[in-house]
Amino acid sequence: MAFKLYNLLAFKDQPDLSVEGLTPVSWYSRGGYDPVVVGKWASEQKSDLLIVDFEGLCSDVRVQKAECVAQGHAQRIAAFRAAKRDKKNPQARIGTYGVCPVGDYWTPVMPSEEKLLAWRGTNRFNSVIADDLDVICPSLYAFYDDEKGWVKYAIANIEEAYKYGKPVIPFICPHYHHSNAKVRNTMIPYFGTILDTVRERCDSAILWGGWWFGSKDVGEGAESGRPWPWDKNFAWLNEVRRVARGL
């Protein structure tokens, strides 16, 4: 299957990006954990990729109780099965954001045997939900202005993702992750490298982004976030066009 770039971008006044070669994707998030609701949502979607995002549930046994993670997985599995049963598009594949594997930057970038074993053990624990997924969607967002560090982190997380034996379609973003105040709301200068890395190593990728994070969004002040205004001259957009055209 040809490499696709799926579109989950949400900039203000964003044009139709299908003309740039991006493919629509459906995303269920913040709608509650009721599988009946998820099934109804899936029955209304036309896209060939359905992302059921339950990242608010426990998912990492390194820092959360195994009972809480197991309960979260049971809720995820019920929702995935409802989406598969009720989906409108019979060709649609089901995925979820992160979890398989648990996104981890520092363990692969500055590894120790103990930390690597703990991370991989967590990812094996989460394999119970991978069995009910059609695709694996790791989070490969950039946190730092460190291109080499991102590549090392991404390759390790991609390798973990393929251990589940499913196609891998990671989430990537043209701006840095909001958790790092030093680069928050800044476009990534090495986004071309990000695109080339996932194109070389993954089956497809999902583009997410477009929200300008205020201090209130991250619990640091009173400024609310807002949709980021679209700019037809975004440098990263030229990289997207290049990859979408197979260049």
Side-chain angles (χ1 to χ4, degrees), residues 8-224:
L8 264 182
L9 298 171
F11 288 87
K12 182 181 180 181
D13 300 321
Q14 176 177 297
D16 178 8
L17 294 179
S18 63
V19 300
E20 304 287 0
L22 273 62
T23 301
V25 54
S26 297
W27 182 38
Y28 179 92
S29 178
R30 300 183 180 91
Y33 304 133
D34 186 342
V36 175
V37 177
V38 175
K40 183 178 184 301
W41 166 83
S43 72
E44 298 167 347
Q45 309 306 312
K46 297 180 181 179
S47 61
D48 67 2
L49 181 58
L50 309 182
I51 302 297
V52 180
D53 183 359
F54 279 8
E55 60 189 284
L57 299 174
C58 293
S59 61
D60 190 343
V61 293
R62 294 175 299 177
V63 295
Q64 297 165 320
K65 291 183 178 180
E67 294 85 353
C68 183
V69 177
Q71 182 180 7
H73 286 354
Q75 291 177 275
R76 290 182 174 97
I77 290 169
F80 301 157
R81 291 178 179 177
K84 281 189 177 184
R85 181 190 65 233
D86 299 336
K87 61 185 181 181
K88 181 175 184 177
N89 180 353
Q91 305 303 317
R93 297 180 292 175
I94 309 298
T96 193
Y97 170 76
V99 185
C100 296
V102 171
D104 194 319
Y105 182 89
W106 288 114
T107 293
V109 172
M110 297 184 66
S112 70
E113 183 176 359
E114 181 181 3
K115 290 182 178 179
L116 283 170
L117 286 172
W119 179 44
R120 290 166 180 162
T122 297
N123 296 332
R124 285 196 299 272
F125 190 93
N126 292 351
S127 65
V128 64
I129 68 169
D131 294 340
D132 282 281
L133 294 169
D134 300 310
V135 297
I136 304 298
C137 302
S139 174
L140 297 183
Y141 298 149
F143 299 90
Y144 306 100
D145 184 19
D146 180 357
E147 183 174 348
K148 291 182 179 179
W150 181 88
V151 170
K152 190 173 184 180
Y153 141 76
I155 290 174
N157 279 264
I158 291 168
E159 289 176 349
E160 283 293 295
Y162 271 113
K163 290 179 180 179
Y164 297 108
K166 306 286 180 73
V168 173
I169 304 179
F171 278 77
I172 58 175
C173 180
H175 48 86
Y176 289 105
H177 194 268
H178 58 273
S179 61
N180 185 350
K182 292 183 179 180
V183 291
R184 184 183 302 146
N185 301 322
T186 303
M187 296 301 180
I188 301 169
Y190 55 87
F191 194 63
T193 296
I194 291 176
L195 285 168
D196 288 337
T197 301
V198 297
R199 178 171 59 170
E200 177 183 349
R201 296 175 178 273
C202 303
D203 296 271
S204 291
I206 300 167
L207 290 174
W208 185 94
W211 185 259
W212 193 95
F213 284 86
S215 58
K216 186 177 181 180
D217 296 329
V218 293
E220 296 177 354
E223 183 182 16
S224 297

Side-chain angles (χ1 to χ4, degrees), residues 11-13 15 187 228-237:
F11 288 87
K12 182 181 180 181
D13 300 321
M187 296 301 180
W228 201 321
W230 178 258
D231 184 345
K232 65 180 181 180
N233 295 314
F234 280 140
W236 58 264
L237 185 57

Side-chain angles (χ1 to χ4, degrees), residues 232-243:
K232 65 180 181 180
N233 295 314
F234 280 140
W236 58 264
L237 185 57
N238 289 327
E239 298 293 344
V240 168
R241 289 170 176 146
R242 172 180 64 81
V243 172

